[in-house]
Amino acid sequence: MKTSEIAQRYLDYFEKNDHQIVPSASLVSDDPSLLFTVAGMVPMIPYLTGVVPAPYPRIADVQKCIRTNDIEEVGRTARHGTFFQMLGNWSFGDYFKEGAIRYAWELLTTSEADGGLGFDEKDLWVTVYETDDEAEAIWRDIIGLKPERIQRLGRADNYWNTGQPGPGGPDSEIFFDRGPAYGKDGGPAVDDSRFLEIWNLVFMQDFIENIRGKTEFDIVGELPMKNIDTGMGLERVAFLKQGVENMYETDQVRPVLDRAVELSGRRYGAVHEDDVRFRVVADHVRSSLMLLSDGVRPTNEGRGYILRRLMRRTVRAMRLLGVDAPTFPELFAASRDAMKASYPVLETDWSTLSSAAFAEEETFRRTLAQGSTILDLALDETKKSGGSTLSGSEAFLLHDTYGFPIDLTLEVAEEAGLSVDRSAFDSLMQEQRSRAKADARNRKRQLADVSVYRDFRALGETTFAGYTDLQTESRILGIIVDGQTVQSANEGDVAEVILPETTLYAESGGQVADKGTIVGAGFELDVLDVQRPVPGLISHTVHVASGTVALDDAATTVVDAANRRAARQAHSATHLVHAALRDTLGKDATQSGSLNRAGYMRFDFAWSQPLSTETRSEIEDITNRAVQEALEVTTRIVSLDEAKEAGAMALFGEKYGDVVRMVDIGGPWSRELCAGTHVSSSSEIGLVSVVGESSVGASNRRIEALVGQDAFRELAAERTVVSQLSAALKAPRDQLASRIDELQANLKSAEKRIAQFEAKEREGRVPALVESAETVGAYRVVATSLGEVGSADDVRTLALSVRERLGSAPAVAALGGVAAGRPIVVIATNDAARAEGAKAGALVRLAAGVLGGGGGGKDDVAQGGGTDASALPAALSAIVTELRGA
């Protein structure tokens, strides 16, 4: 009986018994706490918990599921698989225990000729919850099952709950006896290898609270509406009905395994490790295909990472089976043909799904070619040196430089009998993440090998229509995902899109990329970035907000008008600042870089000295006078020689073609080569407010400014602050600076007097502290807590003073205090004490340990601290005890 037929018989049976048949939910779970749909009941949780009213009182379905927690066990047991299908029937306040048990038993034991699954009653056993007398009575008295084939088990085996306070209940599980060849007799309570669970009937009747663990919770009452949640594993039923040994040999999985056997030339059933690899391939290919069909694409995070891991484990398993050539075209086609009867979408969307799979294989083959050799050498060196652990730095090098996944490194090392220093690897990964955040601007995005753009560039340059228009009609010329060309991209994907013409500005000349969208019939793409990966070609990085975008689709580029307007203002303002700098500083103040985005500009220029406040103000004034004069902004396409003759400024190191775009503001006053977008009149800029001037190297400075509305808002905020200060200090605005200077002078004078008083007060405590000295062994010891202190320096000063007053006999001053809630200990020893063996550094470490911290210093004076201020007396006592025993 084929797997698809088993599923259809299941649905037909429950439809005949008044159940609404619903389609499988996506493998991508709606539950934000789950990456995938990991069980058949996941889509039903809102109904089972009563959060959402059930649409029907009775439901039946075949639910797709993915579990990867036990991925290393795949292929090694008969039961572990990543993708599986769960047959479920559900009752929401309708039938309960007797109905669920009757339906399950009838479907299982009705002959195949009469539409059932044809299991022999003598091969079936059941378990019930240890206190569920009702369920046992139904099985025994109504179904007629022999009492010796009904077993009671505890919470660990026969009680279900979500792991959260709410509904739960006992369950009853149905097992199939595979016979004595698979284990000892005695039922599922004795051997769950011989007795295989095929159906679980959950009787959701209790309300539970105080969950402390899987079996530790309190049943506090009954649910007002009792539900039925059942699940029968389709793959388990299939391999039992098909008379094979495991799920990998069923009709939906075995064709992939057989194709892997053909490609490898090895025999299934000959070598155990080969058999495991064949089963891994069969399982992972099917799982990957099903994930692809639900819109998941291989990436380095989240769901995409799981898919990538499955696909890359497949590639490596085939290599270990001796196949170095690409195999996905054969393996994925075999899986498609095996699964399409149940999931027709696999055939209708084959072009899209296969292109994603094939591209991932090719990407990983390149990774393996580089990484495998390096890893093998590293493992050999580790063995030769007598080591048992591959260093974390070597594992990180493989990951960071060659893209070799750590999971694969762990597996290869394990096969070689070695471990990997995972903690060191994780530490290096964390360091890398920190560096990546700090350097995000320089590594804004990771472009694929530029060869992927070759064919697109060969079709001609991308036409930029954005100088005059904010929208233009175009078409999808190319789609790139993870560095590989694909036929389409689906909702949720991130891809690069190539168009023959666009109005979206690609980041260049210091101007950041436009914001906007690309829309067409049935899809909308949010533009994340626009770049020129190769000269003459514009690539749009997009997030598919809705629908599916495919090659040759008609598309319209739409620029975010407000963002573009503000970007134009900032870019034109940069030209004005450049001209103002040259007016003020001279022609030596040449441009070395710039950044323009909506509302903000920065301009780097060659200059070795900080600008004075007066010079900054002059530059700002010249710039804003140019804004007020409403200077005309014009652009001309001219030859490079012509532009140079006209005196156009060019950015040093920038490559220009024979034909360039020259931007004039106010005629020759500002004349630069620039491909960016600009205002038509300087008055459109509105306002330029210089907010910073700083060094960016030994001979380069940077000016930063806000532009337009952002500049106005900044100035308005400053005006508010000035007004508040003026009111608080009771001084007119023009006198604020002198008033603040006066206050600062008064504050410094007060702080000086306070410091003098504190020093005098500290010195006044010294006689009393010296008087408190006790004889401890060979030493005179002062071990006292000072209580609250201003700082550690206060304690240190007193300890040194006390040590000096204690004289030349062996003496130790150990003083503690609490500053800002944290305990401090300072120990000072004189020469005689050190000669007797009292070392300040060792003593302070002892005290700091009591305080829950650390410390150190020299033999004569040392300081430590901790977190537990209440332990300060104990810390000082520990010092005395140590000296007494010395």
Side-chain angles (χ1 to χ4, degrees), residues 155-156 161 208-219:
R155 285 185 174 182
N161 66 81
I208 63 173
E209 288 184 348
N210 304 321
I211 298 176
R212 303 173 294 281
K214 178 177 174 57
T215 61
E216 295 295 321
F217 52 84
D218 299 330
I219 301 173

Side-chain angles (χ1 to χ4, degrees), residues 575-590 603 605 607 615 618-623 625-626 629 631 649 665-666 668-671:
H575 286 218
L576 296 186
V577 168
H578 187 191
L581 271 166
R582 290 170 64 83
D583 268 5
T584 306
L585 303 178
K587 293 183 179 181
D588 290 338
T590 55
F603 187 86
F605 58 101
W607 203 253
T615 301
E618 185 178 358
I619 292 168
E620 187 177 56
D621 185 59
I622 292 172
T623 300
R625 272 194 277 120
E629 290 171 5
L631 302 176
M649 293 294 300
I665 305 179
W669 184 69
S670 170
R671 178 169 288 166

Side-chain angles (χ1 to χ4, degrees), residues 192-395:
D192 64 357
S193 295
R194 169 175 171 171
F195 297 88
L196 188 70
E197 178 201 338
I198 57 175
W199 204 333
N200 185 11
L201 314 175
V202 177
F203 312 129
M204 203 174 301
Q205 64 187 40
D206 301 326
F207 190 88
I208 63 173
E209 288 184 348
N210 304 321
I211 298 176
R212 303 173 294 281
K214 178 177 174 57
T215 61
E216 295 295 321
F217 52 84
D218 299 330
I219 301 173
V220 297
E222 289 191 356
L223 293 175
M225 184 177 77
K226 298 178 180 179
N227 302 323
I228 288 294
D229 159 12
T230 85
M232 179 163 65
L234 179 55
E235 280 73 17
R236 292 192 183 185
V237 176
F239 84 70
L240 293 175
K241 293 303 298 179
Q242 293 171 18
V244 295
E245 288 297 307
N246 51 58
M247 61 171 287
Y248 310 105
E249 299 174 17
T250 62
D251 64 305
Q252 286 190 343
V253 187
R254 182 63 186 251
V256 182
L257 189 152
D258 289 341
R259 193 72 191 101
V261 167
E262 293 172 12
L263 292 170
S264 69
R266 302 187 186 185
R267 185 169 66 86
Y268 182 60
V271 179
H272 172 70
E273 285 306 315
D274 282 354
D275 289 352
V276 170
R277 290 166 186 148
F278 283 129
R279 292 193 287 263
V280 165
V281 169
D283 171 85
H284 286 8
V285 166
R286 183 171 77 142
S287 299
S288 298
L289 181 59
M290 297 307 298
L291 284 170
L292 287 167
S293 72
D294 273 353
V296 181
R297 293 295 180 267
T299 62
N300 288 328
E301 295 181 347
R303 299 181 180 96
Y305 172 74
I306 299 297
L307 173 58
R308 172 161 282 170
R309 187 180 180 198
L310 291 171
M311 298 172 83
R312 293 189 168 189
R313 278 172 57 92
T314 301
V315 173
R316 184 167 178 277
M318 289 303 295
R319 287 173 66 91
L320 292 173
L321 289 167
V323 184
D324 290 331
T327 60
F328 279 14
E330 300 285 343
L331 299 174
F332 274 79
S335 186
R336 172 202 62 196
D337 294 341
M339 296 292 292
K340 66 184 181 182
S342 296
Y343 303 98
V345 68
L346 299 178
E347 186 166 43
T348 57
D349 289 357
W350 172 245
S351 176
T352 300
L353 306 181
S354 60
S355 62
F358 303 164
E360 178 64 18
E361 180 181 33
E362 183 56 34
T363 298
F364 190 50
R365 279 170 50 78
R366 292 198 300 268
T367 295
L368 279 176
Q370 295 175 298
S372 292
T373 301
I374 296 168
L375 177 56
D376 290 342
L377 289 172
L379 293 173
D380 288 342
E381 288 299 319
T382 302
K383 286 184 175 180
K384 288 178 183 177
S385 66
S388 61
T389 302
L390 182 72
S391 72
S393 60
E394 288 174 303

Side-chain angles (χ1 to χ4, degrees), residues 6 26 85 104 128 186 244 342 386 422 503 577 637 747 798 815 839:
I6 296 171
S26 172
Q85 300 158 89
V128 298
V244 295
S342 296
R422 184 62 188 266
T503 52
V577 168
I637 304 299
L747 179 61
L798 275 175
L815 300 183
K839 312 294 184 184

Side-chain angles (χ1 to χ4, degrees), residues 629-845:
E629 290 171 5
L631 302 176
E632 183 182 13
V633 180
T634 61
T635 61
R636 287 180 285 163
I637 304 299
V638 299
S639 69
L640 181 58
D641 289 340
E642 185 180 352
K644 289 180 177 178
E645 288 177 5
M649 293 294 300
L651 184 61
F652 178 78
E654 187 79 7
K655 293 181 180 179
Y656 296 98
D658 293 334
V659 177
V660 295
R661 184 171 182 259
M662 188 167 67
V663 178
D664 289 353
I665 305 179
W669 184 69
S670 170
R671 178 169 288 166
E672 300 190 31
L673 301 185
C674 182
T677 62
H678 289 274
V679 297
S680 59
S681 169
S682 62
S683 61
E684 295 177 30
I685 296 172
L687 181 65
V688 180
S689 174
V690 175
V691 294
E693 190 273 333
S694 60
S695 170
V696 286
S699 58
N700 279 281
R701 306 295 296 179
R702 171 175 293 171
I703 279 185
E704 296 178 90
L706 297 177
V707 182
Q709 280 295 109
D710 290 74
F712 174 78
R713 282 190 285 266
E714 174 71 11
L715 292 174
E718 288 186 0
R719 181 181 62 190
T720 300
V721 171
V722 169
S723 296
Q724 291 172 340
L725 286 172
S726 181
L729 299 179
K730 296 181 174 58
R733 291 187 185 184
D734 58 352
Q735 296 179 17
L736 272 179
S738 59
R739 177 66 175 140
I740 291 173
D741 288 343
E742 179 186 344
L743 289 174
Q744 286 181 321
N746 291 340
L747 179 61
K748 288 180 180 179
S749 176
E751 288 174 343
K752 184 177 181 180
R753 290 197 300 274
I754 291 171
Q756 292 172 342
F757 288 140
E758 289 178 343
K760 191 172 184 180
E761 191 273 337
R762 282 196 303 270
E763 284 300 312
R765 299 183 68 175
V766 171
L769 289 170
V770 172
E771 185 69 25
S772 70
E774 298 179 1
T775 300
V776 178
Y779 310 95
R780 291 191 70 203
V781 178
V782 174
T784 302
S785 174
L786 303 172
E788 292 288 337
V789 296
S791 67
D793 287 342
D794 294 345
V795 182
R796 188 184 186 90
T797 300
L798 275 175
L800 294 174
S801 295
V802 170
R803 181 185 65 180
E804 295 306 315
R805 297 283 188 91
L806 287 173
S808 59
V812 176
L815 300 183
V818 180
R822 298 181 68 87
I824 299 164
V825 173
V826 176
I827 298 176
T829 60
N830 62 12
D831 292 340
R834 291 193 293 277
E836 290 289 337
K839 312 294 184 184
L843 291 171
V844 89
R845 284 191 290 273

Side-chain angles (χ1 to χ4, degrees), residues 459-593:
L459 299 175
E461 292 192 9
T462 307
T463 300
F464 177 64
Y467 292 130
T468 56
D469 300 302
L470 296 181
Q471 295 187 26
T472 191
E473 301 298 321
S474 192
R475 65 184 180 90
I476 305 297
L477 195 64
I479 303 173
I480 301 170
V481 175
D482 289 334
Q484 300 295 318
T485 57
V486 297
Q487 295 295 310
S488 63
N490 300 316
E491 183 173 332
D493 290 348
V494 173
E496 289 182 67
V497 172
I498 311 296
L499 307 169
E501 53 271 324
T502 182
T503 52
L504 291 152
Y505 184 79
E507 179 176 358
S508 62
Q511 182 175 332
V512 300
D514 272 334
K515 295 181 180 180
T517 57
I518 301 174
V519 297
F523 67 86
E524 180 173 349
L525 315 178
D526 291 333
V527 177
L528 307 178
D529 196 10
V530 190
Q531 294 288 330
R532 296 178 184 267
V534 293
L537 187 74
I538 294 177
S539 172
H540 311 75
T541 299
V542 302
H543 172 261
V544 184
S546 63
T548 296
V549 59
L551 289 182
D552 292 324
D553 281 352
T556 301
T557 62
V558 182
V559 176
D560 181 326
N563 184 77
R564 166 70 77 82
R565 185 184 310 111
R568 288 202 317 262
Q569 290 174 314
H571 201 158
S572 296
T574 304
H575 286 218
L576 296 186
V577 168
H578 187 191
L581 271 166
R582 290 170 64 83
D583 268 5
T584 306
L585 303 178
K587 293 183 179 181
D588 290 338
T590 55
Q591 180 179 358
S592 57

